[in-house]
Amino acid sequence: MDIRVYDPLRHAEGVFALWKQTLGDTYPVDRDTFLAHVLACTLGRPAGALVACDGEQPVGFALTAANGETGFLEALLVQPDSQGRGIGGDLLEQAEINLCGEGCRKVWLGRGPDRFWTGLPSDLPAAGEFFAAHGYAAQSQVCDLVIDLREKRPVLYRDRLERAGAEVVPCTRDLLPAVLAFEQREFPGWVAGLLRLAAKGEEAQILVVRKAEEIIGTIQTFAPNSRALGANLVWRETFPGPLGGYGAVGIAKTWRGSGLGIAMCEAAGIAVRAAGADFCFIDWTTIVDFYARVGARVWRTFTMASKDL
Ligand SMILES: CC(C)(COP(=O)(O)OP(=O)(O)OC[C@H]1O[C@@H](n2cnc3c(N)ncnc32)[C@H](O)[C@@H]1OP(=O)(O)O)[C@@H](O)C(=O)NCCC(=O)NCCS
């Protein structure tokens, strides 16, 4: 068994087959999602993914991402028949060495911009033990939520917009500079997500709460056929109907507590439904009670875990 740098031309199909064998029952992904995420993570990072090979056969895979001094381990899999032979540990060690070489000082499980998982999945207990044994410390619990949009739901919060004299509108190219300035001021960590949607020509999927010229809030939505295969669409194989989603839900500090956040979420759910989704995925949150108001339920839970390199 030897560890090689992942080569999309030689390894993509074998590694995708490995994913199906290893995680097909718990966390299935479709081929497009898998390839898009691996490519996005490894763009400009030739050693960002590693393959453990038995002859020419991939039996293990590690995928990382990096953002400055922060690294992310996005996937680590070993074929069921090959588990217990130290392959996962070897892949992890090499992945950490490579991240260190890129200048990373810390590595998180999941949670990168092109992630599969939000964190360490609670329903994979063996993975939890493995990463604890390799020095990863649990930090906090978060969850992914889902709304079943097929359930009829009364519109409860639109009047909050009317009361504030505000409206929810899709972002346009003309509105984009003001939206980006708002995001930079209020939620700088979400600017990259907005740019990613705009770069794919999908700025209309950014919904904006505004009052005349004032921007009050933004939310990034994803239609089932979105070109931006973001974190909200990763697990679409696990749902019995088209999956959409939303995230990066933000209301300006001065407007919080006026009902506009929940009204924006309600409007986003309606837009995602109109775009053809049966289910709406809300990834990475801790405010379950807030989203429960618009019908969201916990899908799965995750532990945020990290290791200093
Ligand atoms: C979370 C956020 C979008 C909520 O928007 P908001 O406009 O302040 O919230 P609203 O006024 O619409 O709240 C609607 C209702 O939900 C409740 N609520 C608000 N925040 C809540 C929270 N964190 N947890 C539980 N309930 C909450 C409110 O009390 C209100 O209840 P009411 O209808 O009985 O009065 C806003 O606080 C925000 O932008 N926070 C920073 C960014 C963030 O954390 N986004 C979420 C990431 S997952």
Side-chain angles (χ1 to χ4, degrees):
M1 198 278 305
D2 59 330
I3 292 178
R4 304 179 194 166
V5 167
Y6 171 83
D7 173 352
L9 295 178
R10 291 175 56 208
H11 299 132
E13 297 306 328
V15 172
F16 178 55
L18 175 63
W19 184 299
K20 283 202 281 191
Q21 247 183 318
T22 316
L23 292 160
D25 293 338
T26 44
Y27 286 95
V29 292
D30 58 273
R31 192 170 170 278
D32 284 355
T33 300
F34 172 76
L35 293 176
H37 281 249
V38 176
L39 283 172
C41 287
T42 54
L43 203 65
R45 303 178 56 245
L50 302 168
V51 187
C53 288
D54 198 349
E56 285 307 303
Q57 183 66 29
V59 294
F61 177 62
L63 178 67
T64 65
N67 182 9
E69 293 192 349
T70 308
F72 307 95
L73 182 73
E74 303 295 13
L76 181 68
L77 15 153
V78 176
Q79 190 185 48
D81 287 350
S82 304
Q83 289 175 8
R85 288 166 42 195
I87 297 173
D90 289 349
L91 277 168
L92 180 60
E93 189 184 347
Q94 190 57 53
E96 289 173 352
I97 290 169
N98 291 0
L99 285 170
C100 244
E102 285 180 74
C104 294
R105 296 284 158 262
K106 193 191 243 319
V107 59
W108 289 93
L109 301 180
R111 89 179 232 163
D114 296 295
R115 61 187 169 271
F116 290 103
W117 290 276
T118 302
L120 174 63
S122 306
D123 57 355
L124 298 178
E129 286 166 27
F130 173 88
F131 285 110
H134 285 84
Y136 284 78
Q139 316 275 337
S140 60
Q141 301 290 320
V142 300
C143 51
D144 290 349
L145 310 177
V146 69
I147 307 171
D148 186 341
L149 297 171
R150 299 168 305 178
E151 293 171 0
K152 286 262 171 291
R153 197 173 304 287
V155 176
L156 295 175
Y157 299 104
R158 195 177 284 156
D159 64 328
R160 315 259 174 128
L161 289 162
E162 285 156 14
R163 244 184 274 155
E167 58 179 346
V168 178
V169 296
C171 182
T172 58
R173 285 271 143 175
D174 287 345
L175 199 50
L176 196 55
V179 166
L180 287 169
F182 166 85
E183 207 76 12
Q184 189 63 53
R185 187 181 74 238
E186 298 280 344
F187 306 104
W190 292 341
V191 170
L194 290 188
L195 288 172
R196 210 170 297 143
L197 279 169
K200 300 263 181 192
E202 294 191 335
E203 63 276 357
Q205 293 201 41
I206 305 161
L207 300 185
V208 182
V209 180
R210 71 169 182 191
K211 180 175 180 172
E213 297 304 305
E214 181 183 4
I215 293 178
I216 295 173
T218 56
I219 186 166
Q220 296 174 26
T221 73
F222 298 87
N225 63 354
S226 176
R227 287 187 289 277
L229 277 178
N232 299 70
L233 304 181
V234 168
W235 306 118
R236 52 193 179 173
E237 287 276 287
T238 63
F239 292 91
L243 184 68
Y246 59 73
V249 179
I251 292 289
K253 284 178 209 72
T254 50
W255 280 92
R256 288 184 200 158
S258 313
L260 299 181
I262 201 67
M264 179 172 73
C265 290
E266 185 177 67
I270 293 167
V272 169
R273 179 64 168 153
D278 281 351
F279 298 91
C280 180
F281 199 89
I282 304 164
D283 74 305
W284 189 343
T285 187
T286 54
I287 53 173
V288 176
D289 292 349
F290 173 75
Y291 291 110
R293 290 166 183 269
V294 286
R297 300 184 188 107
V298 173
W299 181 67
R300 299 207 185 153
T301 60
F302 304 87
T303 300
M304 292 304 190
S306 67
K307 177 178 175 177
D308 291 332
L309 294 176

